[in-house]
Amino acid sequence: MNGLSLKILHSFFLLFISLYGLSQVQTVRIIVPKGAGTVMENTKRILELQITSRADVTIVKDISAQLTIELIKEAGYHPESYSISDKGKSHIQIAGADGAALLYGAGKLLRTSCYDSNGFTPGTWRGTSTPKGKIRGIYFATHFNNFYEAAPIEDVQKYVEELALWGVNHLVIHFANWQYTAFYDAAAQKTLTRFRQIMGMARACGMKVGLLQVPNQGFKFTKSEFLNTPVPDQLGRRGHFGINLNPSNAQADKLLKENWAYLLDQFKDIGLDLMVFWPYDEGGCGCDQCWPWGGRGYPKLCKALAGITKQKFPDINVVLSTWMYDTPPAGEWEGLTRFLSKGNNWLHYVMADSHEDFPGYPLQKGVPGNLPLLNFPEISMWGQGPWGGYGSNPLVNRLQRLWNQTEGKVSGGFPYSEGIYEDLNKIICAQLYWDGERQTSDIVKEYIAYEFSPDVVNDVSRAIEILEANHNRKQIKANAVEAFNLLQQAERKLTAQTLKSWRWRILYLRALIDREMYERGGKLEGELLKAAFNELTEIYHAQNAHSMPIRPPVIK
């Protein structure tokens, strides 16, 4: 489309919004009541930042503003639900049950609005929205010097804000003991400080925060007599770094419980709302007192540690992950069912998922303990290595297929995230948790319209469909050229701010890399690929990341 055609299209758009009562504005006022509280004040700040970073708009504090956006708490709403309504031609009100609900409502307003160099056009969506999933979480894997460890803390905190706008209400982080010699290790203390900073921002967005921990994980240089017996791992799925403890050893059990209590104390000021126990990779013990781990040693140890946790955080919720249970079959699901039949008042949720299809046991035979079920979508590692090394990794159809397998039986979950390259996959999961009847393809279109432009939804959604079809690095097809051409075509309709955004760049670079790999017969060579991988490394802050999972390929 040439420049004249774009001007004609823009003129029609302005005519449309004038006819239907909308108006493009250059000045905006956002108001909150006195004593609004941390989350509401933070929502106001985030709204201002998102609008001004996407459009040429000035935030004003008086009634001269062309548009007023009002945030208000009101009784009568379901928890976390919000409504958006008009209180005049130039006054939009976002009302909700609590501060977090207002942030979700702000996100909906932002996603349905338009932005360009001429100003801001507020969205027309009006109504009330209530989440169906109670746990709309995200798990930040913090290891290997990935984005969450290596990026400036301000970037990570800003990313937490942006996820909250899509309805994410829980954040859990993992303290990886195996990376450190002890808690007094300077690197360990630096990590714990960073965790509290990230959790602090999550709290300011109304999120609940917690840890995802392996219960028998040890530090480097743990005494050999305390170590576990490696678990059977015929399929190479369970992971083993060699420093897990054996809880059936009295001295090792005493040490791991001391370490557990110390770890909890590091969060006594910020508070913990959730503890997720994790069985494998890292974790487990295969001795005759603990095996099968998932049905014997693991739930027994988790129950004991849950008791310690509740002493320090009485209102905490406990989640038991069953990741890699019976891989291969060892009676773990049945063992857990028997264990919880004797008492499950220490536990609130069971979490299940795997690399491939959703585990069949909880769907066919019921959740052990008759507890609510959560999922743990694989959005980061599946089918590529290095993870995210080629840019955005959209898994639109795969996530829809896996969601359909649960048949509405999950109460939410925690997508597994290694960085920002799977941003689209996170949003798909968050919105499925909010409304499980939505289609992933519909969520993708909303994402494109918000993050890029409503004008490019068709071209970009088709390109994303092709990128997913070419997910396998060894089977990139000729349609990779089409995907790249579609994104080049979309570029001409985007604002300068959007073209520079990391979300656009990781998508565009993925299409460029796919085209180059197709035309070069899969070989990683040439200046274009070298520049693309270097740019991704900068975006991820992955210069010192572990080369296997995180850092993009290096072309010499």
Side-chain angles (χ1 to χ4, degrees), residues 72-132:
I72 184 171
K73 291 183 185 178
E74 286 187 348
Y77 285 92
H78 290 287
E80 299 188 296
S81 66
Y82 64 83
S83 70
I84 302 177
S85 60
D86 291 307
K87 298 300 177 182
K89 188 174 181 179
S90 59
H91 187 137
I92 298 172
Q93 184 183 84
I94 304 174
D98 46 53
L102 298 178
L103 186 56
Y104 309 147
K108 186 65 173 181
L109 177 63
L110 288 168
R111 294 195 296 276
T112 56
S113 300
C114 295
Y115 313 84
D116 60 34
S117 58
N118 296 302
F120 168 68
T121 304
T124 60
W125 188 92
R126 299 293 182 266
T128 300
S129 184
T130 301
K132 296 179 181 178

Side-chain angles (χ1 to χ4, degrees), residues 135-400:
I135 305 291
R136 306 182 304 280
I138 190 70
Y139 163 51
F140 282 1
T142 43
H143 51 208
F144 299 131
N145 268 327
N146 64 9
F147 178 86
Y148 303 124
E149 278 197 306
I153 187 62
E154 297 80 10
D155 290 0
V156 181
Q157 290 174 322
K158 184 173 185 290
Y159 191 50
V160 171
E161 296 174 358
E162 292 167 348
L163 292 176
L165 287 169
W166 285 93
V168 174
N169 69 346
H170 283 73
L171 170 70
V172 295
I173 306 179
H174 171 56
F175 180 78
N177 299 52
W178 53 266
Q179 292 191 142
Y180 313 107
T181 56
F183 283 116
Y184 57 76
D185 187 326
Q189 288 299 313
K190 181 180 178 181
T191 295
L192 290 167
T193 297
R194 187 177 180 88
F195 283 6
R196 290 187 287 267
Q197 291 173 317
I198 296 171
M199 288 177 167
M201 178 52 70
R203 285 243 185 264
C205 293
M207 290 186 189
K208 295 183 182 298
V209 299
L211 297 173
L212 184 152
Q213 292 298 125
V214 172
N216 70 320
Q217 187 174 225
F219 288 101
K220 293 179 181 179
F221 313 127
T222 297
K223 290 182 178 180
S224 59
E225 57 266 31
F226 291 172
L227 296 179
N228 69 333
T229 299
V231 300
D233 191 19
Q234 299 94 316
L235 302 178
R237 292 296 187 88
R238 288 169 169 153
H240 183 57
F241 294 157
I243 48 175
N244 293 318
L245 280 69
N246 182 352
S248 68
N249 177 307
Q251 290 180 295
D253 184 63
K254 179 176 181 291
L255 176 61
L256 68 84
K257 288 176 179 175
E258 289 173 352
N259 286 342
W260 188 262
Y262 186 93
L263 177 64
L264 295 174
D265 286 341
Q266 306 312 298
F267 300 93
K268 60 184 178 182
D269 292 333
I270 199 75
L272 294 176
D273 305 295
L274 203 74
M275 177 60 69
V276 181
F277 288 110
W278 192 256
Y280 294 117
D281 192 19
E282 181 67 350
C285 180
C287 77
D288 58 5
Q289 298 298 310
C290 292
W291 188 255
W293 177 245
R296 290 183 68 199
Y298 173 60
K300 179 182 177 182
L301 177 59
C302 290
K303 182 179 180 180
L305 297 183
I308 297 172
T309 306
K310 285 179 176 291
Q311 289 176 5
K312 295 178 180 292
F313 303 102
D315 297 325
I316 200 167
N317 281 350
V318 177
V319 179
L320 189 80
S321 170
T322 58
W323 189 78
M324 290 297 110
Y325 264 38
D326 285 326
T327 310
E332 291 182 290
W333 279 109
E334 294 289 354
L336 179 62
T337 297
R338 289 193 297 270
F339 185 91
L340 294 180
S341 69
K342 300 174 184 177
N344 66 356
N345 60 350
W346 58 279
L347 188 59
H348 298 86
Y349 297 92
V350 169
M351 187 162 70
D353 228 309
S354 70
H355 289 299
E356 287 83 25
D357 292 335
F358 195 86
Y361 188 96
L363 300 180
Q364 298 159 10
K365 298 186 178 182
V367 182
N370 296 314
L371 293 163
L373 180 65
L374 303 177
N375 70 2
F376 188 78
E378 174 52 272
I379 65 171
S380 292
M381 297 190 301
W382 185 78
Q384 282 190 0
W387 315 328
Y390 305 92
S392 179
N393 70 333
L395 298 172
V396 185
N397 294 321
R398 182 173 189 271
L399 290 173
Q400 182 70 67

Side-chain angles (χ1 to χ4, degrees), residues 399-412:
L399 290 173
Q400 182 70 67
R401 179 179 65 81
L402 293 174
W403 182 257
N404 292 344
Q405 290 179 357
T406 63
E407 301 175 353
K409 293 182 179 180
V410 298
S411 301

